[in-house]
Amino acid sequence: MQEYVEIGEELIFIAMGIASVIALAVFAERFIYYKKSLGKKNEDYLTEVRTSLQEEPEIHWKTDAGEESIYTRFLQFALKQLKLGRKGLDESLDGQILSEKLELEKRLPILNTLGNNAPFIGLLGTVLGVIKAFYGLGTLGSSGAEVVMRSISTALLATAAGLAVAIPVVMANNYFSRKSKVILQNLEILKKELLSYQMNKTKV
């Protein structure tokens, strides 16, 4: 039994190591993806586009300026759909927003899963460590105090490792979720203003 417990402990720490590597990789990939659509440059671009939609008789803002973002991609798509009627444009832009939402939320379930389960994996390691400690105490008696204390220390380390993985992962997931909502809200605003622009253009 003791051998299985020790193997289980090792597997727990290996799993935590793998989880941390996966979380780091997902964070890096998502950060690079989101960065293209965040920051002052994108805010200025959105302001320019909204001003053009509200004040200019013809759309002349750039959709190919600099690095492609969600906003430039959305507006490139919208330009091709302006010839549709109001209902067709509305449904078309809704579909594009849904498509962008899927891209924004891509791989975030991995962070969510790791954040929710890492503490429990660490807790399992703690349970195995406590089992090992009590087994040593029963086998060695009072003379095995050092072994018992070492086992308990390892058990607590497993919990600490679980929390060390879970806390930053949850923070990263919350960060991306908040940014995703901001981007989607901006797309909804652009959609409404595009619909308004298209309606005003047909009246002229």
Side-chain angles (χ1 to χ4, degrees):
M1 177 182 176
Q2 187 77 347
E3 293 180 2
Y4 293 116
V5 171
E6 290 178 357
I7 292 173
E9 277 187 306
E10 291 180 5
L11 290 176
I12 291 296
F13 283 107
I14 291 172
M16 298 305 298
I18 293 173
S20 63
V21 171
I22 292 173
L24 186 60
V26 171
F27 174 82
E29 187 273 336
R30 290 287 87 187
F31 183 80
I32 293 170
Y33 181 82
Y34 274 71
K35 189 177 180 181
K36 294 178 182 179
S37 302
L38 298 172
K40 191 175 185 305
K41 182 179 178 181
N42 283 286
E43 291 174 5
D44 292 341
Y45 177 71
L46 283 172
T47 301
E48 177 190 349
V49 170
R50 294 183 64 189
T51 301
S52 294
L53 286 170
Q54 293 167 6
E55 299 179 357
E56 300 295 331
E58 294 293 336
I59 298 177
H60 59 76
W61 26 264
K62 299 177 181 178
T63 58
D64 58 350
E67 192 173 25
E68 183 186 74
S69 70
I70 286 176
Y71 303 125
T72 57
R73 188 164 60 244
F74 181 77
L75 290 164
Q76 284 169 355
F77 176 83
L79 277 177
K80 298 174 183 177
Q81 307 300 316
L82 282 176
K83 61 182 180 293
L84 300 175
R86 180 178 175 82
K87 184 178 180 182
L89 181 61
D90 190 3
E91 292 178 352
S92 180
L93 294 181
D94 276 341
Q96 184 65 14
I97 290 174
L98 192 58
S99 176
E100 297 295 350
K101 182 181 179 182
L102 291 174
E103 284 298 317
L104 285 168
E105 295 177 350
K106 193 175 181 180
R107 298 187 181 88
L108 292 188
I110 297 174
L111 294 180
N112 189 44
T113 300
L114 291 176
N116 288 334
N117 291 287
F120 294 107
I121 296 173
L123 183 60
L124 177 59
T126 299
V127 171
L128 292 174
V130 170
I131 291 172
K132 181 180 176 181
F134 278 110
Y135 183 85
L137 184 62
T139 303
L140 302 174
S142 58
S143 61
E146 183 179 345
V147 175
V148 172
M149 295 302 293
R150 192 161 53 241
S151 296
I152 292 176
S153 176
T154 303
L156 296 175
L157 186 61
T159 297
L163 293 174
V165 171
I167 292 173
V169 166
V170 170
M171 291 175 64
N173 188 54
N174 290 339
Y175 170 80
F176 290 129
S177 296
R178 286 195 302 271
K179 295 302 181 183
S180 175
K181 288 180 181 178
V182 171
I183 292 171
L184 290 172
Q185 285 171 355
N186 285 333
L187 292 182
E188 286 289 344
I189 293 170
L190 284 177
K191 185 195 86 168
K192 292 181 184 300
E193 294 190 350
L194 281 162
L195 289 171
S196 178
Y197 171 85
Q198 192 257 9
M199 184 174 65
N200 291 335
K201 188 176 178 181
T202 55
K203 289 180 180 179
V204 176

